[in-house]
Amino acid sequence: MDAPSAVLQTSEIPIADDPVVLIFGSLYILMILAIGVWGYTKTETLSDFLITGKSIGTWVLAITVFSVVQSGFGFVGGPELIYAFGTTPIWIFGTAPIGFLIIWLVIGKRMRMLADIRDVLTLADGMYARYENDWVRGLTGITVIISVTGYLATNLAALQYVMRAIFGIPVAMGLLLGASVLLLYSVIGGMIAGVWTDFIQGITMIIGAILVFFYAVSFGGGVRNISENLAASDPALISPFGALGGITALSWWILFSVGGIGQAHTITKFYMIKDIKLLKWGAPIAAISYGISSLLAFTTGLSMRAMVEAGNIQALESASETMPIFVLNYAPSIVAGIVLSGLLAAIMSTSDSFLNIAAAAVTRDIPRALGRPIEDDQVEFRVTQIALVGVTVAATLIVHFSSALVGILGVIGWGLFAASFFPVVALGLNWKGATAPGAIAAIVVGLLLNIVYEVLPTAFSTFGMGSLAESISATYPFPETLVVGTAAMLISTIVLVVVSLVTQSEYTVPADIKPLLEQ
């Protein structure tokens, strides 16, 4: 299929000189800001701002949870990783739906019950209720800030490419403008605006993914032709475990299925549902929605790589361009408009979730852990809005100075959450034997392992200190193909169990939390 004349390839990222795409993009930004204004009229307290005042139902919860997980990581990072490594990332996107079932089964009901038992607005609030320890609260808040800053950078990194593709502005300007709109929307709308935008963009992502699936398969000449072209170039690209091999594939499977329980921006959504009885059908809705939306990542990544290997198109300057280039060059305008505009909304509404939990960690979780809470609800509300600015600026700077792939940033962010919080939440809400010292040790170990072996090497490489990054990576005690986040999650889980067993005689579960653990 020839590239339509509406696409101008004057740089490595194509620009849509197409009124349909421009209209869709402009309307989505206006819609985001309009929902933000509407959310402002519904937001009167910090509870409204952070957890919507427990007002959402089954479909909104399920679609919101799936779309928050998918967002820029799935729609830009997914095609990017599959283009770069073949079928290995399918062990993320093909098995992640299992994670939704695990989340709902293991902690969904218990997280919602916490919101009835105690005044919880954040993950740190919930973990303090379970362990009644300020160190647990404070370390949870610190970990949220670190993890969210990196994970938010994933979405902003995707956002700059989407802004470039839709509006034709330089990447740096796309990052700045996108971050500014995000900040405005988040400050005025809070989580009420976020969940409804998540719901709308989730539906849009499903529709867009189905459309792209058919165009991508056709573009690659059919499934058989795609497979033959990839196999002729490198059989590993379409092997069961892909170019990165079995250990990495299985590591990603564990991290993105079981590790979903540790994602603070996802599991705190359970506080928001208006009736605990409405949880029943949320898991299959979220799982099926995620599976359908992942069709975009599979087909665009494999088709684009197959056509490159066949010599039919030029190799991409960066794997991060896979999705924007495909929808603008090889899909109809209406499809490009739907996908890019839906992704624009997805990135911003998902980022809104990150900003809210990070800002709350700064103004609520850490001060309370230090014994210096902000007593006035309205003051805490306004200070939380101000904290949004600092988190946004930090994440924007990370993207501006980092050359890491969007997908890799996403894996790092997910790994930080999973390693630090999976054992504390999953075991803590299901095992009476989990103790505060065990939780503290697990968070510290999970956080440090990720920082030392994932965050620091990536940062040093970005700033031209490759030898230092290699020196640190050389001390990694496991095979390099074992994903750091997975190793850290498994080790932190063992640490929580061992330390808890040693300290059980010194700790008792709070009386009002015991019935929750018996559910």
Side-chain angles (χ1 to χ4, degrees):
M1 180 185 300
D2 293 330
S5 59
V7 177
L8 306 179
Q9 283 194 276
T10 57
S11 68
E12 68 275 11
I13 303 174
I15 302 167
D17 184 19
D18 188 313
V20 174
V21 176
L22 292 173
I23 289 171
F24 268 90
S26 300
L27 287 177
Y28 257 78
I29 286 183
L30 291 175
M31 182 198 73
I32 289 170
L33 293 175
I35 293 178
V37 172
W38 172 80
Y40 177 79
T41 66
K42 301 293 182 180
T43 301
E44 298 179 357
T45 67
L46 189 63
S47 175
D48 295 333
F49 192 76
L50 296 178
I51 63 169
T52 76
K54 302 177 186 176
S55 63
I56 64 175
T58 304
W59 279 90
V60 176
L61 173 67
I63 298 298
T64 294
V65 169
F66 124 70
S67 58
V68 165
V69 172
Q70 189 67 282
S71 67
F73 172 53
F75 263 38
V76 175
E80 161 196 278
L81 289 176
I82 292 173
Y83 175 90
F85 306 119
T87 53
T88 307
I90 289 178
W91 287 82
I92 295 177
F93 300 102
T95 59
I98 299 172
F100 294 107
L101 304 177
I102 294 173
I103 292 171
W104 254 262
L105 178 65
V106 175
I107 65 163
K109 183 178 181 181
R110 290 171 172 81
M111 286 294 289
R112 179 58 181 83
M113 289 178 67
L114 273 176
D116 287 334
I117 295 171
R118 298 283 186 94
D119 179 25
V120 295
L121 301 181
T122 66
L123 180 61
D125 284 342
M127 293 305 96
Y128 179 80
R130 168 60 180 87
Y131 297 101
E132 290 197 332
N133 183 282
D134 282 325
W135 277 96
V136 173
R137 187 202 290 271
L139 285 170
T140 298
I142 291 170
T143 303
V144 163
I145 294 170
I146 295 172
S147 302
V148 161
T149 302
Y151 215 151
L152 178 60
T154 302
N155 282 276
L156 292 179
L159 178 61
Q160 63 185 349
Y161 292 111
V162 177
M163 294 291 286
R164 165 71 174 170
I166 295 176
F167 300 107
I169 57 180
V171 171
M173 182 61 69
L175 175 62
L176 180 61
L177 179 60
S180 299
V181 173
L182 166 64
L183 184 58
L184 176 61
Y185 157 76
S186 300
V187 168
I188 64 176
M191 196 58 72
I192 290 177
V195 296
W196 282 102
T197 306
D198 283 338
F199 178 74
I200 294 171
Q201 61 90 0
I203 300 299
T204 304
M205 289 167 75
I206 292 172
I207 295 171
I210 293 173
L211 293 173
V212 168
F213 170 79
F214 290 106
Y215 282 105
V217 172
S218 175
F219 171 69
V223 174
R224 180 176 179 178
N225 193 58
I226 292 171
S227 300
E228 289 177 350
N229 285 336
L230 292 174
S233 170
D234 182 358
L237 291 173
I238 56 168
S239 67
F241 298 115
L244 296 181
I247 295 178
T248 298
L250 294 176
S251 296
W252 279 352
W253 174 72
I254 294 171
L255 186 63
F256 283 87
S257 57
V258 179
I261 290 178
Q263 305 307 305
H265 58 295
T266 300
I267 60 178
T268 50
K269 295 287 191 293
F270 289 106
Y271 292 158
M272 302 177 188
I273 196 163
K274 58 186 176 184
D275 188 341
I276 198 170
K277 297 177 182 178
L278 298 177
L279 287 172
K280 182 177 181 181
W281 295 106
I285 293 172
I288 293 171
S289 299
Y290 186 94
I292 294 173
S293 68
S294 293
L295 293 173
L296 181 146
F298 298 156
T299 52
T300 55
L302 292 176
S303 294
M304 289 289 282
R305 181 65 183 267
M307 294 300 278
V308 167
E309 298 301 339
N312 294 329
I313 63 173
Q314 292 183 346
L316 305 183
E317 293 287 336
S318 167
S320 298
E321 305 161 11
T322 304
M323 192 280 294
I325 284 181
F326 175 79
V327 296
L328 285 176
N329 278 4
Y330 308 112
S333 299
I334 187 70
V335 175
I338 290 173
V339 172
L340 291 175
S341 301
L343 179 56
L344 190 64
I347 292 169
M348 290 189 176
S349 58
T350 301
S351 299
D352 176 67
S353 295
F354 290 133
L355 285 172
N356 274 277
I357 64 173
V362 172
T363 61
R364 179 180 177 86
D365 299 333
I366 294 176
R368 288 177 181 241
L370 296 173
R372 301 177 65 86
I374 301 174
E375 300 290 353
D376 186 278
D377 182 78
Q378 283 300 308
V379 173
E380 187 176 17
F381 177 19
R382 298 308 176 194
V383 173
T384 299
Q385 290 178 308
I386 294 172
L388 288 170
V389 179
V391 178
T392 305
V393 170
T396 302
L397 290 174
I398 288 174
V399 175
H400 182 69
F401 289 106
S402 176
S403 59
L405 296 176
V406 176
I408 296 302
L409 285 173
V411 171
I412 292 174
W414 187 282
L416 277 164
F417 272 137
S420 302
F421 295 142
F422 166 76
V424 178
V425 177
L427 297 184
L429 296 182
N430 289 277
W431 178 39
K432 293 180 181 179
T435 67
I440 293 169
I443 294 173
V444 170
V445 168
L447 183 61
L448 288 179
L449 285 174
N450 272 282
I451 289 176
V452 171
Y453 292 114
E454 195 83 271
V455 176
L456 289 181
T458 301
F460 289 144
S461 296
T462 296
F463 290 103
M465 294 181 280
S467 58
L468 183 55
E470 291 176 4
S471 298
I472 294 175
S473 298
T475 65
Y476 184 55
F478 305 103
E480 63 178 11
T481 51
L482 178 60
V483 176
V484 173
T486 304
M489 184 180 74
L490 296 175
I491 293 172
S492 65
T493 301
I494 294 171
V495 167
L496 183 139
V497 172
V498 171
V499 175
S500 292
L501 289 174
V502 172
T503 59
Q504 275 184 353
S505 61
E506 308 167 12
Y507 179 82
T508 58
V509 178
D512 60 341
I513 301 297
K514 283 184 179 179
L516 180 151
L517 301 182
E518 295 169 354
Q519 293 294 316

